[in-house]
Each structure stands twice: as C-alpha cells, then as structure tokens.
Amino acid sequence: MYRLAYRNFRDHEALVATHSIEGGVFSEVRWYEIRNPASTPLVFQQGTVVNPAVDYWMGSIAMDKVGNIALGFSMSSDSVYPGVAVVGRTPAEPLGQMDAPLILVNGTGAQVNSFKRWGDYSSMSVDPEDGCTLWYSQEYYTTTGAFNWSTRVASLKFNSCR
C-alpha cells in the first residue's frame, strides 16, 4: 500500500515495506525489512503492529541513515475517531519489535460518504538534508463530515541518529 523505501549502508542494502492486513478489530499494520534485495533477498525482520480494540491501517514507513525505522499509520474504531500514530525501533532492539504507539493527534470526527478513499497522500520520508529527520503526514478528522479532513505533518528524530 506504500512504496518500498531503500537504504544503502555500504555493508548491506535494505528495503522497508508495510501493508495492512486483517486483524485487530478489522485491520493491523504489517512491516518488513528486506536485506540485500539486488542479490539474494532476505526478510531480515518483520512484525505486526496491532491493538485488539483499535484498527491500525494505511501505514507509511522509512529508515534513517543509521537504520532506525519509523512507521506511521491511521487509527480508528467504533469508539475512536480516526487519528494519527507512529511507532519506531532502533537497530539495537530485538528484531521484529516496535516501540509502543505514540499518538500524534486524536481525531474528533468521522468521515461520512467516504467513497472508500483515505490516506491517499500519507507519507513517511527521510529528510535528505540530514538523513535523520523523518517527516510524516496523514489524514484525520476534526469534525464529522464528507470531505473535511485535516492533515497532520510531524517530524521525528531518533536520539541515536546524528
């Protein structure tokens, strides 16, 4: 659902990818790090971000210049308006694990007459200026309506990236 993000670390190459799968209330976010995609691709690690009471979906993922991974996504349920959250991990953490979600914004409304569109332009990307700052954008709702979503833009940076 989101483009592959590529990094070349000189001693290895890495792709990170994400997509939504069935789980949670209805959906959860699965992510992967694939090493050496040009020669012998290997799923180096993978994981699933899930909350049994809240849907996580429409994820975007990126890796900074030292290998930290950030994954942003939409979150909602019957009792939670669509909001925006992120998770992350450093290379020092156990493979396949992400930190607990950090909620960037809680939504305060819902989309009606949706035409089955959401988060089309969300993005997690690395700032080319420093290779450490991760920029994330995603939709959320402040008031219930058909086409009145808002966009949250946030920057993230791991302490280990200099």
Side-chain angles (χ1 to χ4, degrees), residues 68-85:
N68 298 311
I69 298 172
L71 167 61
F73 49 89
S74 290
M75 53 178 259
S76 67
S77 73
D78 288 342
S79 61
V80 175
Y81 287 117
V84 180

Side-chain angles (χ1 to χ4, degrees), residues 100-121:
L102 170 66
I103 297 171
L104 298 179
V105 63
N106 283 308
T108 53
Q111 185 180 44
V112 295
N113 301 323
S114 72
F115 302 101
K116 311 242 188 281
R117 302 283 303 265
W118 183 268
D120 298 33
Y121 305 106

Side-chain angles (χ1 to χ4, degrees), residues 22-126:
E22 188 175 328
V25 178
F26 293 106
S27 66
E28 49 198 44
V29 179
R30 169 98 25 103
W31 63 274
Y32 307 86
E33 179 184 352
I34 300 162
R35 294 270 177 106
N36 305 315
S39 57
T40 308
L42 166 72
V43 176
F44 179 72
Q45 62 176 324
Q46 63 182 321
T48 304
V49 183
V50 63
N51 179 331
V54 179
D55 287 319
Y56 294 158
W57 44 284
M58 201 54 76
S60 312
I61 192 167
M63 180 183 283
D64 69 19
K65 69 180 183 181
V66 299
N68 298 311
I69 298 172
L71 167 61
F73 49 89
S74 290
M75 53 178 259
S76 67
S77 73
D78 288 342
S79 61
V80 175
Y81 287 117
V84 180
V86 294
V87 293
R89 70 173 317 281
T90 68
E93 294 179 77
L95 293 177
Q97 293 185 12
M98 289 279 186
D99 294 330
L102 170 66
I103 297 171
L104 298 179
V105 63
N106 283 308
T108 53
Q111 185 180 44
V112 295
N113 301 323
S114 72
F115 302 101
K116 311 242 188 281
R117 302 283 303 265
W118 183 268
D120 298 33
Y121 305 106
S122 71
S123 174
M124 178 72 73
S125 58
V126 180

